[in-house]
Amino acid sequence: MADIDVVVPVHNEQAGLERSIRSLHRFLRSQFPFSWRIVIADNASTDATAAIASSLVRELRGVELLRLDRKGRGLALREAWSRSDARVVCYMDVDLSTDLRGLLPLVAPLLSGHSDVAIGSRLARGARVVRGPKRELISRGYNRILRTVLRARFTDAQCGFKAVRGEVARELLRDVRDDSWFFDTELLVLAQRRGLRIHEVPVDWVDDPDSRVEIVRTAIDDLRGVARLAMAGPVARFMAVGVVSTIAYAALYLALHAALGAVAANALALAMTAVANTAANRRVTFGVRGRAGVARHHARGALVYVLTLGLTTASLASLHRIDARPPRAIELAVLVVAGALATVSRYVALRSWVFATARRRRRVAAADTPALEPSGR
């Protein structure tokens, strides 16, 4: 079992494949202190790529070939990483745009157990990058979108120089849907949302003038992926739970109003929906499973309910001072608005207090792995 699997995804790369693999092999053999394996992941090449790769496998020790009959950079990485038994899986672009001396700083925090995911960054302080203004603008614009829409805290989602601890990769791959260029971004966003530690390495990077990436099509696909992740994010899930809870609350309030009056109907309807809301957010929004901590979560959720009850009761009192017998629809509208104002505070409380311990335990469990000692190949 190798410490590191270095995957090189390729599609119709007959021109530069042999030169790049020989350079990578020479570097790993002479300068890399951990055991390693190079995996050429050929995703449906139609030129001589497979033949060249097969020749390299026969000649160079530690080089393997994985052939796939479907195209997709993300698909190639998914298949190679899923089959790997290495402690750390990583990948780099076949053009070797990134200086190979950045590989050890990339994987060392993963081997030591300090971090879960590591990425090379062309936008981090200390990076040295040579590329045209068009690609520079696109890259910075895309990562700005990620920070704005998905609240990404990593600086460079697209650099073809990444590594993941083996067991973490297998967990993340279960939920990564994209098999193309958006694969990297989706993997990183999922890792961040699960509280995994992402290590960034400033890299020396030189643009490949022969790059055949279709920029416009890739950009459109990436924006679609961003929209999909935004809709599947915790805020969107929290809002969806909130909409269902509001509808249930409104129905209960209207059903109880005649018998109990506005104040009591509001309190009882809120109490009933608060229990269901906490349970739904526990599972759907924050992904907490099992019965451990259920009572504590609902007890804390009840305190959050008190905040909403206080705000809605005060709103009712203010309305009744203006009109002693307002129409029921107006009462309900005021209560819904007051509840909506309490929603932001509720989300913050659920995230940072109610389910904070469960989320912290999940991060610790994901990061719990033994350190490795260097070993040559």
Side-chain angles (χ1 to χ4, degrees):
M1 181 173 62
D3 291 336
I4 311 291
D5 266 2
V6 182
V7 179
V8 183
V10 294
H11 175 74
N12 290 346
E13 296 288 352
Q14 63 180 18
L17 176 62
E18 181 174 359
R19 180 179 65 254
S20 293
I21 296 301
R22 289 187 182 279
S23 295
L24 175 59
H25 187 272
R26 186 164 52 249
F27 169 83
L28 292 173
R29 188 181 57 194
S30 62
Q31 300 185 44
F32 199 67
F34 297 97
S35 62
W36 48 267
R37 176 170 50 216
I38 299 172
V39 179
I40 304 172
D42 176 20
N43 54 115
S45 291
T46 57
D47 61 2
T49 293
I52 295 172
S54 297
S55 176
L56 291 168
V57 168
R58 290 191 296 270
E59 179 183 349
L60 302 177
R61 181 185 177 189
V63 179
E64 298 181 2
L65 172 63
L66 171 63
R67 291 211 63 187
L68 304 172
D69 58 5
R70 286 197 297 128
K71 182 180 177 182
R73 198 271 298 270
L75 174 66
L77 294 177
R78 180 194 303 279
E79 292 296 323
W81 286 359
S82 297
R83 303 180 189 195
S84 173
D85 61 357
R87 304 288 186 179
V88 170
V89 292
C90 69
Y91 92 89
M92 61 183 63
D93 290 336
V94 69
D95 56 24
L96 301 186
S97 293
T98 305
D99 191 329
L100 291 176
R101 288 174 295 182
L103 182 59
L104 184 57
L106 185 78
V107 302
L110 308 186
L111 291 170
S112 69
H114 177 271
S115 298
D116 305 296
V117 180
I119 65 173
S121 175
R122 298 160 297 184
L123 302 177
R125 186 185 300 275
R128 299 177 181 177
V129 177
V130 178
R131 62 176 167 183
K134 180 180 178 180
R135 288 185 175 271
E136 181 76 10
L137 179 62
I138 291 173
S139 179
R140 290 186 178 276
Y142 178 67
N143 284 283
R144 173 64 65 179
I145 290 172
L146 296 183
R147 289 194 291 273
T148 302
V149 178
L150 300 179
R151 301 175 63 192
R153 293 190 294 273
F154 44 85
T155 62
D156 190 353
Q158 295 172 307
C159 181
F161 199 64
K162 294 180 175 67
V164 189
R165 283 173 36 209
E167 68 273 20
V168 172
R170 287 185 285 274
E171 288 293 324
L172 290 173
L173 289 175
R174 296 174 183 175
D175 297 315
V176 175
R177 291 171 48 187
D178 191 83
D179 281 337
S180 190
W181 295 99
F182 190 67
F183 175 93
D184 298 51
T185 301
E186 187 168 8
L187 185 85
L188 291 176
V189 170
L190 290 178
Q192 178 181 296
R193 287 177 175 175
R194 296 181 183 186
L196 300 177
R197 293 170 297 183
I198 301 176
H199 175 69
E200 294 199 1
V201 177
V203 295
D204 295 347
W205 193 86
V206 179
D207 190 18
D208 176 19
D210 190 39
S211 175
R212 283 159 285 171
V213 177
E214 298 179 33
I215 295 178
V216 175
R217 180 178 176 180
T218 301
I220 293 173
D221 290 342
D222 285 350
L223 292 177
R224 288 174 178 166
V226 169
R228 173 170 58 81
L229 289 183
M231 293 304 296
V235 174
R237 295 196 298 268
F238 176 78
M239 292 175 63
V241 170
V243 169
V244 175
S245 297
T246 300
I247 294 173
Y249 162 79
L252 287 169
Y253 175 80
L254 293 174
L256 297 170
H257 186 280
L260 302 178
V263 175
N266 171 57
L268 186 55
L270 274 179
M272 295 171 68
T273 53
V275 173
N277 183 280
T278 299
N281 277 308
R282 182 178 189 270
R283 182 177 181 84
V284 176
T285 303
F286 298 103
V288 181
R289 303 288 193 270
R291 301 192 61 82
V294 171
R296 182 178 67 254
H297 295 156
H298 279 287
R300 292 180 176 179
L303 295 178
V304 178
Y305 151 78
V306 171
L307 170 65
T308 306
L309 177 62
L311 184 58
T312 53
T313 300
S315 301
L316 270 179
S318 299
L319 174 63
H320 287 166
R321 279 196 295 269
I322 297 172
D323 185 348
R325 298 177 63 84
R328 197 166 302 175
I330 298 298
E331 283 184 342
L332 182 59
V334 169
L335 290 171
V336 169
V337 171
L341 293 175
T343 296
V344 175
S345 298
R346 180 175 179 80
Y347 177 76
V348 173
L350 291 176
R351 179 181 175 85
S352 61
W353 182 50
V354 177
F355 300 116
T357 302
R359 295 173 65 244
R360 193 179 304 115
R361 286 175 179 170
R362 193 169 57 178
R363 287 198 299 268
V364 172
D368 188 15
T369 187
L372 298 175
E373 294 296 329
S375 59
R377 187 174 182 87

